[in-house]
Amino acid sequence: MQNVYEQVSANKTRSDIVIILFIGFIILAAYAITVAFELDPSVLAIAAIFSIVSAVGSFYFGDKIILSLNGARLADRKEFFDYYTVVENLSLANQSPMPQIYVIDSPAPNAFATGRDPEHAVVCATTGLLQKLNRTELEGVIGHELSHVKNYDIRLMMIVSMLIGSLSILTNMVQRNRFFGSRRRDNDSSINGLLAILGVFLLIFAPLIGKLIQLAISRRREFLADASSVKLTRQPQGLIDALKKISSDPNALSSASTATASLYISNPFKDNKLASLFSTHPPILDRIKALESML
Amino acid sequence: MPILIIAVVVIVLYLVGFYNKVKTLQVHIRASIQEIGNQLKRQAELIPNLVESVKGYLKHEKGIFEDLVSARKSITEAVATNNPEKIDQSQQLISKVLGSLKVIVESNPEIKGAQVTTDLMNELRDTSDKVMYSRRTLIDVTADYNTAITTVPGIWFASIFGFKEEKGLITPLSGEHLEVSAEDVKTPKISLN
């Protein structure tokens, strides 16, 4: 098994690879299209600016964007005493700086951590999670999130979900154009040409998105975080009970999207078919089994 | 000749890395001892508040005030010396006071129900957790340190720099709690009158 230093350097390298792949791919695709259809070179410039801004923005502001997309707010110590102090205590044991602490108002029990490094990390839990779990169970979940923080999983997962997000903005734009275009097909044939290009664009992006997801979601990541959580709390039963409660809860988290699903401790969509296609999380039962072997 | 130079460079680089690693661990050890002390101090400062809120019920427990005073004094002294053993001893004093306070709170529904007491008990529980986690950090860091200087190749160089094994917390490996006295072996007699 990798130790934490190897995990950190693997995650940093993978983050760099993802960024380079993303920028390179978009510029290359834009270049191919400019040449093939003799478009204005400004297309290339726009593509370059778009990809670089997305990548840099993801790195520095990804955490803020993810938090605001999920409707998270800062948690204060008085209102969320157990949550706040558990994060404080486990950061002490984790020997990592205290992250910023956020809550999402939702009955679905779930949690995630994000940020570019442990110094700029954020831990976020839903109010449902905080109400349904007792302190020991909460320690298990927070321990899991803090191990994602310490081994830089948060950086990789943040960048990937942000870049998938910006790709999906692109593909949404394309889909909307196609919709409008099909109505005008009869009177405007140049639009059809453009749509063909964008269709090619989409085809190119599909495997890229797949590759990105694959890079981020090694299922081992979750098992590792579970194991590190137990190393922090020394209480496998807490995390086992928490996972059972989380997985048996009927509420789905409405603010989550395919892009951000991989961030959460458990699949936020529950039984959604699209989500299980991407399968961002190993089955909870397997995780519980792994934890029970530590008892 | 070039091989010799490369070998020397490699060894020097290793030594620099080794020295820095061990020194960093030493700093961590000291910091975590400090942290235990800080948390114990915090705990000791919270207790008078709890005492204040249950004052009316303490008539028969005068001893608790004296225990509290001596526990706080010993913590302040222990933190000043930064000696894990002394810190440990003062922690036992604090636990004693806390234990008897808890009994009072638990056995009096009126105090137990009060918001102030609940908040204080939560704070105290949290501080105990913090003490526990900082103790564990000390244990972990000490173990890392001792492993670094007692395994090959570290052990060959540890004496050059004068690195010695750190004791860390003594309680986990030795101490009264591991010794079984004759008292412990006796079957407890319970009488229900």
Side-chain angles (χ1 to χ4, degrees), chain A residues 133-141 233 235 237-239 242, chain B residues 125:
Chain A
L133 301 190
N134 66 30
R135 200 172 156 112
T136 314
E137 292 158 356
L138 189 61
E139 282 188 331
V141 172
T233 64
Q235 300 187 91
Q237 197 59 50
L239 187 54
Chain B
R125 181 194 166 171

Side-chain angles (χ1 to χ4, degrees), chain B residues 8-188:
Chain B
V8 168
V9 167
V10 167
I11 290 174
V12 167
L13 281 180
Y14 166 76
L15 282 181
V16 169
F18 173 71
Y19 183 82
N20 287 344
K21 184 187 166 192
V22 175
K23 277 286 169 193
T24 315
L25 285 171
Q26 278 183 347
V27 171
H28 281 314
I29 290 176
R30 234 154 281 143
S32 49
I33 294 174
Q34 192 83 51
E35 184 64 32
I36 300 175
N38 286 343
Q39 296 303 340
L40 282 177
K41 244 178 167 172
R42 192 180 117 90
Q43 202 170 34
E45 277 152 23
L46 280 167
I47 292 177
N49 295 323
L50 186 63
V51 170
E52 192 62 33
S53 70
V54 298
K55 217 169 167 186
Y57 300 83
L58 287 177
K59 281 169 210 143
H60 310 294
E61 318 253 355
K62 288 287 176 217
I64 225 168
F65 291 104
E66 285 139 40
D67 286 349
L68 182 58
V69 170
S70 65
R72 292 185 71 182
K73 205 177 137 212
S74 90
I75 283 180
T76 319
E77 283 169 9
V79 170
T81 58
N82 238 0
N83 180 339
E85 261 173 85
K86 283 197 177 140
I87 290 180
D88 239 30
Q89 282 162 8
S90 57
Q91 186 183 1
Q92 280 164 16
L93 289 177
I94 279 281
S95 311
K96 197 180 147 202
V97 179
L98 254 184
S100 36
L101 274 174
K102 268 182 194 153
V103 171
I104 295 169
V105 172
E106 294 295 328
S107 56
N108 288 286
E110 308 107 275
I111 332 178
K112 207 185 165 191
Q115 186 61 40
V116 192
T117 326
T118 318
D119 287 351
L120 278 170
M121 293 303 280
N122 281 341
E123 288 282 358
L124 279 170
R125 181 194 166 171
D126 174 52
T127 322
S128 314
D129 279 3
K130 285 192 167 74
V131 172
M132 189 261 290
Y133 279 119
S134 43
R135 288 170 63 96
R136 190 184 290 165
T137 311
L138 175 59
I139 294 169
D140 287 350
V141 177
T142 314
D144 285 349
Y145 172 87
N146 287 337
T147 311
I149 63 165
T150 52
T151 50
V152 173
I155 193 166
W156 297 330
F157 305 105
S159 54
I160 305 176
F161 299 118
F163 295 142
K164 287 193 199 87
E165 266 191 74
E166 291 269 352
K167 277 186 285 180
L169 277 179
I170 307 179
T171 31
L173 290 176
S174 62
E176 281 175 40
H177 69 289
L178 289 180
E179 286 157 23
V180 182
S181 68
E183 283 294 306
D184 295 332
V185 194
K186 278 184 196 157
T187 314

